[in-house]
Amino acid sequence: AQSVTQPDIHITVSEGASLELRCNYSYGATPYLFWYVQSPGQGLQLLLKYFSGDTLVQGIKGFEAEFKRSQSSFNLRKPSVHWSDAAEYFCAVADPSGGGADGLTFGKGTHLIIQP
Amino acid sequence: DAGVIQSPRHEVTEMGQEVTLRCKPISGHNSLFWYRQTMMRGLELLIYFNNNVPIDDSGMPEDRFSAKMPNASFSTLKIQPSEPRDSAVYFCASSLRGVTGELFFGEGSRLTVL
């Protein structure tokens, strides 16, 4: 069974500083990989996704993520965070054999706090 | 375009009562998913439908939970009878099967069972 680990439950970053959120997955092959963001009281919004090809993917809101097969990782980065980035971030995987049609498995999430 | 629409946004009920949560997926999407979010367990997939047919309900915690999708534009998740441990945020999501795997989420239904 596939699984996703987000080792950091909370991360605090100063506004304007760089950010990296970690994600490791467990799967027999390369899954489809996603990062979602959830603002308080809201649903989840897709930031970016990786299926194949270039291992550095760009997303919305200035985020990017890098797939590293050797480390089974898909870490999310942003060079300079804004106060509006404070939210919960979820890494997720999908089984590519089903075309990603069988739902996503989510990590437990990382709560991002932005200090002024 | 309208996104995934869920109702009610908030529900407070007493133990033993029936709860029905509703979802309208994005028009044209043919897969629908119900997730439950709690602090302890995170986001759990309860059940999903492809072309209105339930495919995998292994995540449904107990027989008290049931889900239906009578047509392509409507789904319900029912809990009968409800218990305090069912308190959670329930999300509905839809997707276009086999295209990208991307899920589009509704804003959730926050359920509190007293």
Side-chain angles (χ1 to χ4, degrees):
Chain A
Q2 55 202 17
S3 65
V4 180
T5 302
Q6 293 180 248
D8 303 306
I9 298 174
H10 301 277
I11 281 190
T12 301
V13 178
S14 297
E15 190 169 14
S18 64
L19 169 71
E20 182 169 28
L21 302 182
R22 295 183 291 165
C23 173
N24 292 95
Y25 65 88
S26 174
Y27 188 68
T30 299
Y32 292 167
L33 296 157
F34 304 81
W35 274 100
Y36 280 81
V37 60
Q38 182 182 28
S39 297
Q42 301 296 312
L44 281 72
Q45 180 185 21
L46 181 71
L47 285 175
L48 46 79
K49 58 194 175 189
Y50 172 79
F51 297 142
S52 64
D54 192 346
T55 56
L56 185 64
V57 294
Q58 302 298 320
I60 62 171
K61 305 184 180 186
F63 285 92
E64 66 178 26
E66 185 173 11
F67 167 60
K68 292 185 177 180
R69 186 190 310 274
S70 61
Q71 299 177 18
S72 297
S73 69
F74 189 56
N75 294 349
L76 182 71
R77 301 194 295 248
K78 186 170 185 178
S80 176
V81 298
H82 185 264
W83 64 266
S84 60
D85 293 324
E88 193 82 16
Y89 291 81
F90 293 92
C91 182
V93 301
D95 183 350
S97 66
D102 300 326
L104 302 182
T105 299
F106 286 88
K108 290 290 182 66
T110 296
H111 184 61
L112 177 62
I113 301 166
I114 306 296
Q115 282 183 336
Chain B
D1 289 338
V4 175
I5 299 172
Q6 292 187 244
S7 65
R9 289 294 313 278
H10 302 274
E11 174 99 4
V12 180
T13 191
E14 293 188 345
M15 183 174 62
Q17 296 298 306
E18 178 178 294
V19 173
T20 299
L21 308 178
R22 298 173 178 81
C23 175
K24 177 179 169 57
I26 292 173
S27 178
H29 281 187
N30 52 10
S31 293
L32 184 140
F33 304 80
W34 282 100
Y35 280 85
R36 179 172 68 176
Q37 184 179 38
T38 61
M39 288 291 292
M40 291 298 294
R41 302 173 69 90
L43 279 157
E44 303 172 278
L45 177 62
L46 300 178
I47 185 172
Y48 72 95
F49 298 82
N50 287 332
N51 296 316
N52 313 339
V53 176
I55 302 301
D56 185 355
D57 65 354
S58 60
M60 297 284 261
E62 299 173 34
D63 291 345
R64 298 184 296 107
F65 286 69
S66 63
K68 294 182 180 179
M69 193 166 186
N71 57 63
S73 58
F74 184 66
S75 177
T76 59
L77 177 67
K78 187 173 294 186
I79 309 172
Q80 167 63 21
S82 59
E83 297 183 2
R85 59 193 168 123
D86 302 330
S87 298
V89 181
Y90 291 81
F91 286 102
C92 176
S94 69
S95 73
L96 193 55
R97 177 178 172 79
V99 175
T100 66
E102 175 183 352
L103 299 187
F104 295 80
F105 282 81
E107 294 190 326
S109 294
R110 180 176 294 276
L111 173 64
T112 302
V113 183
L114 303 175

